[in-house]
Structures are given as structure tokens and as C-alpha cells.
Amino acid sequence: MKLIERYILRRATTMFLATLLPLMGIVWTTQALTNVNLVTDSGQSIFAFLKLATLILPSVVPIILPFALVIGVTQTLSAMNTDSELTVLNAAGSSRMSIIRPVIYLAAGLSVLSFAIDNFVEPYSRVAVRRMIATAHADLLSAVVQENAFRKITDGLYVQVGARRSGGVLQGIFVADSRNPNFELVYYAREGAVDEESSALVMKDGEVHRKLPDGGVSVIKFDSYAFDLTDMTQAVGEANIRAKDRDLFYLLNPDPDDPAYKRAPLAFTAELHKRFTEWTYPLLFALIALVVSSDARSHREARVHPMISALGAALVIRWMTFYAANSAEDSIWFVPLMYFVPLAAGAFAIHQLVSNRRLDIPMTWREKLSELMIRLRFMRPAGADGEQAS
């Protein structure tokens, strides 16, 4: 690799990392915070939250990595053009490939990384996250026995315990159950305990108030009552493994007895083709960034900033492929579109680079854009500097 190529690769990599890390931190934080209530409500430790947040990270990286590369490459080449470095390279007889080659090396490496994360690391982390969430839900019954705090078990069901004693004895139990729209139930008990085997809250020496929609209330006293939560704890305690949670080898040969596969076989097909296309986005977006920013330009030219052009094109392509992937879960006819969009965009970008063509704005559009920029005071009209000098 030539000296100038190593220089461009180093600058582009540095700018890429400077863009990726803050974006990844923001997206990761927002994703992790959505599970804070689950971890705190189920009585999990801070280490469990950190583990959960770390397992979310692989699902974030492949999404933002191509966009961080677009920003890094366009910003690097735009800065080199502003400092006249691209002009010097062009005047010295350096080919455009000396600019393209290091960017392609970086994009190819990131594409391989994206393929590995998408097909092996992310499925493992997704399954681990689902199992952690399922375990947290399953442990929710024992977590609600915290003293002097109302805990929401599910919609319409709340539990509060006055005190905990040795041997697992609970005192001052209050349960409010409004899940049935025909009546509301309120339980009071002097003491009780959690039966781990049957997933039931056993209450002793209490009473239950049943309130009807017409306002009538009936009171029944009991010596012992078992409030059954078996169905709820079993349902939430099972991890629901979907097509997105499977690795590449499973998607190539799914188990025909898999309940998720029986419910939605097209979801597995769409996910398989999604894995075959999404890893190419770093390479595709790098080509787009090179088309709009790898040539030397005069500062006086009226054009949209390369970063805006590249990001706009990348967002459109990403939206089209995302729409095709989602629609492919319902119709197999959208699968070819998942391949056509990146292949067509990549072929156009390669044609522009190989033919050494500049992506210029049409003259009529350029004149309208220049007029708009002058009106918005983003650009001086032609001859303004000469008039001021005289």
C-alpha cells in the first residue's frame, strides 16, 4: 500500500471511529434504558443490568456501522478537498484509485465484521437477552414480596406486603385484581407465604372483597386461600425464540417442528435473505460516499455538501431494503427486491467510479440551487467580491 493510501486509510478509520462510538453510545443507551424497569422490578442486581445492556450491543452495531462509515469517508475526503490535498494529488498525476483503494479496504473489512456479527454474534446475544428477560419475569413473583411497596405483576394485578419475617413468612398482604372487567377483587390477609413449587401466593386469616359493576360489594372471610399465578409465570418464563434469533445454519435448514417456523415460515425465509444482503451495506455505502466526494472540486462550485448527498442516498436505499425485508415476511415476491436495490445502487456507483465521471447537478437544477442559496445568504452572487473591492 502506498504512503498516500495509508494516510487516507488512517484518516478515514479515525473519522469512522469518532463517528461510530458516539452514535453507538446514544443508540445503546436508549435501547438499554427500555429494560431498566424490568430489571429493577424483578429485583435484579446492577450486574444483571450491565450484562443485559452488553448483550444488546451486537444488535446495534450492524445498523449504525454503515452510516458511520458514510459520515467518516465523506468527512475525510471533504476535509482533504478543502485543504486542497485532492487537488494536489490530481495535479501530481495520482490516479483516483489511490483514493478509492484504501476506502474499499476499510469497507470490505467492516462488511466481513458485519457478516460475522449478523449471523453468529447477534443471534447468540438475542437468545441470551430473551432468556434473561424471561427469567426476570419468572422471578417476578418472589420479587413482589418487598416490604411496603406496591408491585405491578401484570395489567390489573398489584401486590403489596407489609413486612417479611424469617422462614419466608409475609405479613400484611394486600392484592388488587381488576383483570376481569365484570368485577374487581381485593384481598387482605394477616400473613402468608410464597409457594415456589406451585407459583402461588398462599394467604391466611383474611378476607376478599368482590365489587360488582353496579356498585355492590360482597365480603368473604377465609382461613386459607391460594392465589394462583401459575399460568402467568409459566407464560412469561418461557423465552420466545424467533427467526431473528436464529443463526445462519439454522435458517438454512430450519426445524419443521419449530412452533415459530410453523406459524410464520416466510419470516425465516425473509430473515435468511436479509442476512445475505445486509452485510454488504458498508461496502455499498462506501461506494456511494466515494462517488460524491472522491473528486477534487473548486470551492466556488454550487453543490450540496457531499455528506448530505451520501447520507440521503444511504437512507433511501436502507429504507427500500428495510421495506422489502418486512414485506417479504408476508409475500415471497419481495425477496428479489432485497437483492435488486443494493445491486443496482452498487452497479451505478461502480460505473461512475470506473468511468471517472463526476456526479454533477444538472445545469437547470444548479442555477435554481444557486439562486436559492443566494437568497438564503449562504452564497454570494457572482461578481460581489469585485464590486466590494472597487
Side-chain angles (χ1 to χ4, degrees):
M1 187 180 293
K2 299 179 181 178
L3 179 62
I4 185 61
E5 293 177 359
R6 291 199 299 270
Y7 170 75
I8 295 175
L9 178 61
R10 183 175 66 252
R11 287 194 60 173
T13 303
T14 302
M15 186 59 65
F16 161 73
L17 293 175
T19 306
L20 176 67
L21 296 179
L23 287 177
M24 188 168 59
I26 295 172
V27 177
W28 175 60
T29 301
T30 56
Q31 292 292 322
L33 289 179
T34 59
N35 296 295
V36 169
N37 292 337
L38 172 66
V39 174
T40 56
D41 289 346
S42 60
Q44 303 291 324
S45 64
I46 184 63
F47 298 103
F49 171 73
L50 293 177
K51 180 181 178 181
L52 181 62
T54 303
L55 290 172
I56 293 175
L57 197 58
S59 62
V60 174
V61 174
I63 298 175
I64 63 175
L65 188 146
F67 293 99
L69 180 61
V70 167
I71 297 175
V73 172
T74 53
Q75 183 62 26
T76 298
L77 297 181
S78 297
M80 292 181 65
N81 184 62
T82 302
D83 296 337
S84 300
E85 291 175 298
L86 296 183
T87 304
V88 171
L89 289 175
N90 191 25
S94 178
S95 67
R96 200 177 182 184
M97 285 302 300
S98 61
I99 301 173
I100 296 174
R101 192 178 294 114
V103 176
I104 295 299
Y105 289 159
L106 175 61
L110 294 178
S111 293
V112 173
L113 177 63
S114 180
F115 180 84
I117 294 176
D118 264 337
N119 292 281
F120 303 105
V121 180
E122 184 181 354
Y124 167 79
S125 65
R126 278 181 170 272
V127 172
V129 167
R130 290 191 182 279
R131 288 176 177 170
M132 282 191 66
I133 294 176
T135 302
H137 277 298
D139 294 340
L140 203 56
L141 182 60
S142 59
V144 298
V145 296
Q146 298 181 12
E147 299 181 20
N148 298 319
F150 280 94
R151 290 291 180 177
K152 179 181 179 181
I153 304 297
T154 186
D155 292 337
L157 181 61
Y158 298 85
V159 176
Q160 192 264 348
V161 174
R164 298 183 63 176
R165 302 304 181 199
S166 59
V169 178
L170 312 175
Q171 292 185 337
I173 301 174
F174 172 85
V175 179
D177 184 3
S178 60
R179 291 175 294 176
N180 194 325
N182 296 324
F183 54 83
E184 298 179 7
L185 297 174
V186 178
Y187 300 84
Y188 301 94
R190 179 170 296 180
E191 65 178 22
V194 176
D195 188 347
E196 299 291 347
E197 295 182 359
S198 61
S199 296
L201 179 61
V202 180
M203 297 179 284
K204 297 180 180 180
D205 190 12
E207 58 185 33
V208 53
H209 294 205
R210 179 175 178 176
K211 182 179 179 181
L212 300 176
D214 58 3
V217 178
S218 61
V219 180
I220 301 176
K221 293 186 178 182
F222 57 82
D223 293 329
S224 178
Y225 185 88
F227 192 86
D228 190 11
L229 298 174
T230 304
D231 295 337
M232 186 193 68
T233 54
Q234 286 182 350
V236 298
E238 298 176 357
N240 184 17
I241 308 301
R242 304 175 184 175
K244 294 181 179 180
D245 307 325
R246 299 297 187 178
D247 58 25
L248 180 61
F249 301 112
Y250 189 92
L251 293 175
L252 289 171
N253 186 24
D255 184 3
D257 296 328
D258 187 347
Y261 181 74
K262 289 181 178 180
R263 283 195 308 268
L266 285 180
F268 283 76
T269 303
E271 183 64 24
L272 176 63
H273 293 286
K274 184 179 177 182
R275 301 283 181 87
F276 285 152
T277 56
E278 280 199 342
W279 69 275
T280 62
Y281 291 155
L283 189 59
L284 174 61
F285 288 5
L287 291 173
I288 294 173
L290 287 170
V291 168
V292 301
S293 62
S294 63
D295 54 335
R297 301 255 186 160
S298 171
H299 305 312
R300 296 181 179 273
E301 291 187 40
R303 66 164 181 165
V304 181
H305 194 279
M307 186 182 298
I308 298 176
S309 303
L311 273 179
L315 286 171
V316 171
I317 293 172
R318 191 66 181 89
W319 175 82
M320 293 177 66
T321 53
F322 180 78
Y323 172 78
N326 283 349
S327 300
E329 297 181 2
D330 301 319
S331 174
I332 196 68
W333 297 106
F334 283 92
V335 171
L337 185 61
M338 298 172 62
Y339 292 92
F340 175 76
V341 173
L343 286 175
F348 173 76
I350 292 174
H351 176 265
Q352 291 291 116
L353 294 174
V354 171
S355 60
N356 201 24
R357 294 184 178 182
R358 300 174 60 175
L359 193 63
D360 290 324
I361 303 174
M363 185 61 65
T364 56
W365 292 11
R366 185 184 304 176
E367 292 174 356
K368 293 180 179 180
L369 180 61
S370 300
E371 182 180 355
L372 178 61
M373 294 179 69
I374 291 172
R375 289 181 179 180
L376 295 176
R377 300 180 183 275
F378 291 148
M379 178 179 173
R380 290 184 178 183
D385 294 336
E387 292 175 1
Q388 291 179 357
S390 61

